[in-house]
């Protein structure tokens, strides 16, 4: 879907009394969105109810990043910070088969094992450098929307005005509820307890799968034990005690291994739901606030970070008056189908975790199918996020897909495509005759780079594609227009995505 090219609202939406954007929730999604807005020069504040940026162990949920998220961070020039602290490895798997991305055409043909608390810490540190403002101990308790903005009420009695509010407030999102956005989907069929505990006995480290699911124990720092154990109680909201945990451990392992105490106990289920709309007027949703699912496959944080990168530049353009507000509708149009597909994938993964004989038979047959390279690439493309294709209409296969990080040659020397995206500004990459494309009326918003590229063009899970003569690259790294040697369609694409031309 391409946004309608309409007259831009020339009036910026911000007046002095209010924030351009209030982001509710300073988890990975909220902090990534704040970073994107900061890069775009748009004022925003993150309101986080936790008392400080400190992340307790309870938040050490996600075990890592998939390849497309690493690429997205590379587009901003910060991937190395994450790569230095984590361990690159093949993390994508389906039906017991590891999906090796090794031959995918990307600089990052792997996932990154890195606990969520580190991901959040690194994101937060980068945000501080580029001007992200986050306020802690600030719990949002109410919202009131009108034509000009949103009034935000806080639990401490304070009120703020915002041009837009983005709910990045997690799976139980209050913003979603207050905006009246439905959250249809599937209730839980399995439940697990995740805990960090002290045990006096000898724990049995490793996995123990049974007909009801996956159970595991691993050693943690300081002699503590991290564990995931299935739970009979499907009610995620109900209280959880040390005795509940003890009973669950004994039911699986036959012993509580001298369980003494727990620093953290939390329950998660395979409830799978997605917001019916990611936007209600001036309120938008991103991350877990917009979609929840079972953690198998490690997708949630990745989806949230990529939601933020899709939304940030669009919101920035609407706020500065460069583009009309209906540009924001492309956020739902693009990101809802991506998450819907991932949700189905996690539901399939959950079903495959049943340890019964029939499921084992299914896993065996799927394993055979995954020997076929095309089948394996298809699932690997989905799991890694490298095959994302936004529906921007018919045309060259690159349209709506990620631009590869090619090694270009320019008049000033070698240049990587992703280096052009560090500032989160759109780029027109001209690979044809230098100077053959003129975008002077958009020069204040779009960078034009003349370059040469001699190699082949290859896309993950798709293979070789015809080399384009030019590509209009959005700040999120997706291609909005592909040139075949002329500028046909270029003005329309520039106007649709980045607003009307500036008068000479
Ligand atoms: C066991 C487990 C394992 C997982 N493994 C993976 C994995 O390997 N890979 C992966 O990608 N994902 C994984 N996930 C999912 C991942 O943790 C989430 O998808 C991710 O944290 C979502 O980020 P978020 O910023 O959208 O929401 P959250 O991380 O939930 O952050 C929301 C923030 O909003 C704040 N907040 C809430 N309400 C308010 C309010 N009213 N006012 C102010 N602040 C508020 C909260 O304090 C919180 O800081 C896992 C999850 C679990 C449970």
């Amino acid at each position: 879907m391409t946004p309608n090219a309409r007259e831009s609202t020339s009036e910026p939406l911000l007046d002095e009394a209010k924030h351009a954007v209030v982001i509710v929730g300073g988890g990975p999604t909220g902090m990534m969105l704040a970073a994107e807005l900061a890069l775009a020069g748009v004022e925003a504040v993150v309101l986080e109810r936790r008392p400080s940026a400190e992340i307790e162990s309870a938040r050490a949920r996600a075990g890592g990043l998939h390849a497309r998220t690493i690429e997205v961070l590379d587009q901003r020039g910060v991937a190395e910070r994450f790569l230095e602290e984590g361990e690159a490895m093949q993390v994508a798997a389906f039906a017991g088969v590891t999906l090796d991305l090794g031959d995918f055409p990307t600089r990052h043909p792997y996932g990154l094992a890195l606990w969520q608390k580190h991901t959040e810490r690194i994101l937060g540190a980068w945000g501080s450098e580029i001007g992200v403002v986050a306020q802690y101990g600030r719990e949002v308790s109410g919202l009131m929307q009108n034509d000009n903005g949103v009034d935000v009420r806080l639990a401490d009695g304070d009120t703020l005005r915002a041009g837009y509010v983005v709910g990045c407030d997690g799976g139980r999102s209050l913003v979603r509820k207050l905006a009246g956005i439905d959250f249809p989907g599937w209730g839980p069929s399995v439940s697990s307890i995740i805990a960090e505990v002290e045990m006096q006995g000898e724990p049995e480290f490793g996995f123990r799968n049974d007909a009801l699911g996956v159970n595991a124990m691993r050693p943690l720092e300081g002699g503590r034990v991290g564990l995931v154990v299935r739970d009979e109680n499907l009610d995620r909201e109900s209280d959880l005690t040390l005795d509940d945990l003890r009973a669950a451990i004994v039911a699986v392992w036959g012993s509580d291994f001298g369980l003494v105490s727990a620093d953290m106990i939390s329950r998660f289920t395979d409830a799978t739901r997605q917001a019916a709309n990611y936007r209600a007027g001036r309120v938008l949703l991103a991350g877990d606030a917009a979609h929840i699912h079972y953690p198998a496959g490690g997708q949630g944080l990745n989806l949230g970070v990529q939601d933020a990168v899709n939304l940030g530049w669009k919101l920035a353009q609407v706020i500065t008056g460069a583009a009309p507000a209906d540009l924001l509708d492309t956020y739902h149009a693009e990101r809802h189908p991506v998450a819907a597909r991932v949700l189905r994938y996690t539901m399939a993964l959950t079903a495959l975790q049943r340890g019964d004989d029939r499921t084992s038979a299914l896993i065996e047959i799927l394993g055979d199918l995954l020997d076929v390279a095309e089948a394996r690439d298809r699932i690997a493309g989905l799991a890694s996020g490298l095959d994302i294709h936004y529906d921007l209409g018919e045309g060259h296969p690159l349209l709506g897909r990620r631009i590869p990080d090619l090694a270009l040659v320019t008049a000033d020397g070698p240049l990587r495509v992703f280096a052009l995206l560090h500032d989160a500004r759109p780029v027109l990459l001209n690979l044809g005759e230098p100077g053959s494309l003129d975008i002077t009326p958009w020069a204040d918003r779009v960078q034009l780079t003349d370059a040469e590229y001699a190699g082949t063009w290859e896309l993950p899970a798709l293979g070789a594609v015809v080399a384009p003569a030019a590509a209009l690259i959005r700040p999120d790294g997706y291609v909005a227009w592909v040139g075949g040697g002329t500028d046909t369609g270029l003005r329309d694409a520039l106007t649709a995505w980045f607003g009307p031309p500036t008068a000479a």
Side-chain angles (χ1 to χ4, degrees):
M1 175 186 163
T2 305
N4 297 326
R6 272 220 245 121
E7 272 303 291
S8 154
T9 51
S10 53
E11 285 296 308
L13 291 165
L14 179 64
D15 66 38
E16 280 177 17
K18 70 183 182 192
H19 295 283
V21 183
V22 164
I23 298 169
V24 184
T29 306
M31 294 308 279
M32 189 70 200
L33 178 62
E36 291 291 294
L37 292 171
L39 287 174
V42 165
E43 188 273 344
V45 62
V46 178
L47 302 178
E48 167 56 56
R49 73 177 168 202
R50 279 180 282 133
S52 74
E54 182 93 1
I55 293 151
E56 320 119 45
S57 53
R59 295 179 50 75
R61 298 179 291 178
L65 305 176
H66 284 290
R68 180 56 188 155
T69 309
I70 302 170
E71 281 196 345
V72 159
L73 295 166
D74 207 2
Q75 289 176 180
R76 298 296 177 253
V78 295
E80 278 308 318
R81 301 178 186 210
F82 296 84
L83 293 170
E84 274 167 14
E85 292 208 29
E87 193 182 343
M89 56 172 69
Q90 298 302 333
V91 294
F94 191 69
V97 176
T98 299
L99 305 167
D100 192 332
L101 310 181
D103 56 2
F104 268 8
T106 164
R107 286 183 199 271
H108 305 289
Y110 44 74
L112 184 71
L114 181 67
W115 289 110
Q116 181 161 343
K117 59 184 173 186
H118 302 303
T119 299
E120 292 197 32
R121 174 176 48 75
I122 301 167
L123 267 183
W126 171 49
S128 306
E129 288 167 26
I130 58 175
V132 165
V133 177
Q135 298 178 357
Y136 292 88
R138 300 277 271 168
E139 179 171 358
V140 168
S141 58
L143 293 181
M144 180 71 77
Q145 205 179 152
N146 58 43
D147 285 350
N148 300 318
V150 190
D151 291 326
V152 180
R153 204 170 57 243
L154 285 102
D156 61 14
D158 204 359
T159 52
L160 301 174
R161 293 226 74 203
Y164 283 87
V165 167
V166 187
C168 301
D169 51 341
R172 294 171 195 166
S173 170
L174 181 68
V175 172
R176 186 184 66 231
K177 289 169 194 151
L178 293 172
I181 297 174
D182 284 345
F183 202 40
W186 296 264
S189 71
V190 293
S191 171
S192 295
I193 299 174
I194 180 167
E196 292 182 8
V197 302
E198 193 190 330
M199 286 170 160
Q200 279 175 339
E202 280 291 310
E204 262 182 51
F205 292 124
F207 284 91
R208 179 178 281 223
N209 296 0
D210 62 20
L212 292 174
V214 176
N215 309 281
M217 287 198 214
R218 67 187 173 93
L220 297 176
E221 288 157 14
R224 289 173 312 128
V225 177
L227 61 88
V228 174
V229 59
R230 69 154 202 264
D231 176 28
E232 301 297 329
N233 187 349
L234 295 181
D235 179 6
R236 196 170 158 227
E237 310 289 332
S238 70
D239 288 344
L240 195 52
T241 65
L242 191 65
D243 283 338
D244 294 330
L245 175 61
R246 190 186 312 281
I249 296 173
V250 171
V252 171
W253 281 279
S255 160
D256 71 356
F257 305 105
L259 176 69
V260 180
S261 61
D263 299 341
M264 173 290 261
I265 313 183
S266 171
R267 178 182 279 124
F268 62 90
T269 73
D270 68 336
T272 303
R273 298 186 178 279
Q274 189 174 19
N277 209 315
Y278 283 18
R279 177 184 177 207
R282 289 172 171 274
V283 178
L284 296 117
L285 301 176
D288 277 16
H291 35 70
I292 56 161
H293 55 80
Y294 197 58
Q299 295 289 330
L301 184 151
N302 292 267
L303 277 177
V305 166
Q306 292 181 50
D307 285 348
V309 172
N310 185 287
L311 177 59
W313 65 276
K314 295 174 180 173
L315 196 49
Q317 292 201 148
V318 171
I319 283 161
T320 57
D326 61 8
L327 179 64
L328 294 175
D329 292 331
T330 67
Y331 168 60
H332 171 95
E334 292 176 359
R335 293 303 298 169
H336 190 280
V338 168
R341 194 162 161 247
V342 167
L343 261 47
R344 306 290 292 185
Y345 169 64
T346 62
M347 287 170 78
L349 285 168
T350 315
L352 291 172
Q353 280 192 356
R354 287 185 209 125
D356 60 71
D357 293 343
R358 289 172 176 81
T359 308
S360 302
L362 175 63
I363 287 173
E364 214 173 290
I365 288 172
L366 286 172
D368 274 352
L369 282 176
L370 288 170
D371 270 351
V372 179
E374 200 185 332
R376 194 215 54 199
D377 285 357
R378 182 100 52 105
I379 307 287
L382 163 62
S384 62
L386 288 170
D387 73 346
I388 289 172
H389 180 207
Y390 298 140
D391 182 6
L392 305 189
E394 297 289 305
H396 191 284
L398 261 181
L399 190 64
R401 290 196 165 88
R402 73 188 239 303
I403 189 83
D405 186 18
L406 307 173
L408 305 172
V409 178
T410 71
D412 298 327
L415 179 73
R416 279 176 50 187
V417 170
F418 282 6
L420 291 166
L421 293 169
H422 285 184
D423 297 336
R425 287 187 61 204
V427 178
L428 177 60
L429 181 60
N430 178 25
L431 300 163
E433 190 63 29
S436 58
L437 294 174
D438 178 15
I439 56 162
T440 306
W442 286 271
D444 55 338
R445 280 158 279 164
V446 183
Q447 335 164 45
L448 171 60
T449 298
D450 290 317
E452 288 175 19
Y453 174 67
T456 52
W457 284 74
E458 232 192 307
L459 297 179
L462 210 67
V465 299
V466 174
L472 179 61
I473 309 165
R474 309 187 321 188
D476 58 359
Y478 289 84
V479 176
W481 172 83
V482 181
T486 69
D487 65 358
T488 306
L490 177 57
R491 289 181 68 88
D492 288 347
L494 285 163
T495 306
W497 292 107
F498 309 116
T502 305

